[in-house]
Amino acid sequence: MSTSKRVRYAAVVAAALTVLAPARASAGAPPPPLPGPQAGRVPYDCVEDQWPWGCLAECESSRRWDANTGNGFYGGLQFWQPSWEGFGGLAYAPRADLASRADQITVAEKVLAAQGWEAWPVCSRRYGLAGRMHVVKSGQTLSSIARLYQVKGGWRALYKANEQMVGPHPDRLNPGTLLLIPKGSGVPKDTAAATGAGASKSPATAMGPGGVQASSPALFGPPLSPLPPLAPASPLPPLR
């Protein structure tokens, strides 16, 4: 190839890369940051799947929301049956695997408010998730949420724990936002009774000891090693 042809070829390649790079970068926006511990580096496809629930289900059941493998845990998030019943799951289906994905997540949000991410001990560590959290509902404010959990210091303490997520306007909350509940706060009345029922077999976890990955690794493959923490400003791994 002549020198002039090499120059033209290099220019064409450079132009193509310039066009493709922005498209690749915008193929999927990273999930909003969680207040408190940041999530570890996770597969890009599960991050886009209603973070963090899609990733949690990826770890627990390979995202099989109808999972019933005979191990005593059901659904995409591997509910132990007494937990499903104790946290109101019977309003949706007899077992978690028979309920819709949305209904399973609704029940899981109650578990999250009462017991925190530690209810899924193995998979929560995989993604750097920790602490009790509240999923904001339409019409809720920091004040109403602080009263719900009896947060010491009221809405100001709740805002301080979630300032990064809420932003400079504490009077504006978007439904679906995950808020970290400060340590020492109470448990909502509608989940307080469920906490005892759901944890009667394993006090530390709502889903049972270790979840699928710890108790039955052969069902969905061997447990994956913990992933290194990712700084908030670091980019997500490229699409494969």
Side-chain angles (χ1 to χ4, degrees):
M1 184 183 292
S2 66
T3 301
S4 60
K5 288 183 177 179
R6 288 195 185 96
V7 171
R8 286 197 299 272
Y9 178 76
V12 170
V13 171
L17 291 175
T18 301
V19 171
L20 290 175
R24 186 180 182 87
S26 61
L34 284 172
Q38 296 297 317
R41 189 182 298 275
V42 296
Y44 194 76
D45 59 343
C46 87
V47 170
E48 288 188 322
D49 185 15
Q50 197 178 351
W51 169 259
W53 298 113
C55 288
L56 197 63
E58 175 76 29
C59 176
E60 290 285 349
S61 66
S62 296
R63 273 191 275 183
R64 292 175 53 200
W65 294 90
D66 61 349
N68 177 5
T69 61
N71 68 337
F73 302 95
Y74 304 96
L77 302 174
Q78 292 291 276
F79 279 92
W80 181 45
Q81 183 63 19
S83 296
W84 178 253
E85 296 175 6
F87 284 93
L90 293 181
Y92 306 105
R95 293 193 315 266
D97 60 301
L98 302 175
S100 68
R101 168 192 170 123
D103 291 340
Q104 291 181 49
I105 291 175
T106 296
V107 177
E109 289 174 353
K110 294 182 180 179
V111 176
L112 180 59
Q115 298 187 4
W117 291 114
E118 289 73 18
W120 298 269
V122 173
C123 294
S124 63
R125 287 196 299 270
R126 173 178 171 79
Y127 299 119
L129 301 167
R132 292 167 54 209
M133 303 193 82
H134 174 80
V135 182
V136 176
K137 306 298 189 297
S138 179
Q140 288 186 321
T141 64
L142 287 176
S143 294
S144 67
I145 296 170
R147 288 194 300 271
L148 182 65
Y149 290 89
Q150 301 174 354
V151 177
K152 296 177 181 178
W155 73 267
R156 290 180 176 83
L158 183 61
Y159 176 59
K160 183 177 181 181
N162 295 278
E163 187 171 1
Q164 178 184 357
M165 180 58 115
V166 176
H169 302 288
D171 58 329
R172 302 175 189 172
L173 290 181
N174 293 323
T177 300
L178 280 165
L179 297 181
L180 185 67
I181 304 303
K183 290 183 178 180
S185 301
V187 176
K189 292 180 180 179
D190 63 341
T191 58
T195 304
S200 58
K201 182 177 180 181
S202 179
T205 68
M207 303 302 161
V212 168
Q213 293 290 351
S215 60
S216 304
L219 293 174
F220 301 106
L224 300 177
S225 302
L227 299 170
L230 178 66
S234 300
L236 288 167
L239 287 170
R240 291 191 293 272

